[in-house]
Amino acid sequence: MSGRRDEPIDVLLVEDDDDDVRLAREAFAGLAIESSIRVIGDGAEALSLLTGRDGEPPVVPDLILLDLDLPQMDGLEFLEAVTAEPELARLPVLVLTRSTNLSDVRASYDLAANAYLTKPTESTEYAEMAEAIAEFWFRRAALPTSHS
């Protein structure tokens, strides 16, 4: 089943490092498929955005890119909270972090992460990673979100 669609892909990047945000934005901007990236620098803020807890309607992206090393609520705590919310549990979450620690990898998958990616260090590597994500998640896979 193809996930190809005419609407832009909505990506939530949960990341607090400005350099990584810049690299990710540049990489996704270079794709042939249209995408929008919303950046939230903390897991607690991202969870509030997804659930609409601050009196706002919930924002449901097509895909979440999640760093593990975050202030207040780290990435693993965020994954645990998302998994506990039935409306959010089906969202694709790709962990994108510097950690290569096997316990982080296992914990992420135990908490239903869909993939565990180590952050690239060069802009060309970020571009390659963004293209690989787009090819699989945006062009091939069917995403659980819909745009009405």
Side-chain angles (χ1 to χ4, degrees):
M1 173 174 221
S2 173
R4 196 173 297 270
R5 33 160 90 195
D6 296 325
E7 304 89 5
I9 301 296
D10 296 321
V11 177
L12 175 60
L13 175 60
V14 187
E15 172 63 68
D16 67 330
D17 183 283
D18 291 339
D19 289 333
D20 288 326
V21 168
R22 180 185 52 78
L23 288 168
R25 282 190 186 279
E26 289 172 1
F28 279 88
L31 297 175
I33 192 165
E34 189 178 352
S35 61
S36 66
I37 296 185
R38 180 187 310 250
V39 178
I40 301 287
D42 174 75
E45 284 181 53
L47 188 60
S48 290
L49 180 77
L50 294 172
T51 59
R53 289 188 180 154
D54 293 331
E56 297 291 322
V59 173
V60 182
D62 295 306
L63 183 76
I64 299 171
L65 296 175
L66 175 67
D67 187 22
L68 292 184
D69 186 23
L70 297 167
Q72 293 184 32
M73 175 187 274
D74 70 25
L76 293 175
E77 293 169 321
F78 174 83
L79 275 172
E80 188 172 9
V82 165
T83 303
E85 295 277 343
E87 292 300 312
L88 302 177
R90 71 178 68 98
L91 288 175
V93 179
L94 310 183
V95 171
L96 179 59
T97 191
R98 294 211 191 291
S99 174
T100 57
N101 187 321
L102 186 56
S103 65
D104 286 340
V105 175
R106 287 182 177 151
S108 295
Y109 282 113
D110 286 346
L111 294 169
N114 296 94
Y116 192 99
L117 307 167
T118 303
K119 285 181 187 176
T121 56
E122 303 290 328
S123 61
T124 55
E125 293 171 333
Y126 254 98
E128 290 171 5
M129 180 199 62
E131 183 56 45
I133 290 170
E135 178 61 30
F136 181 78
W137 289 100
F138 304 162
R139 295 183 185 114
R140 305 272 179 210
L143 297 172
T145 55
S146 65
H147 296 274
S148 304

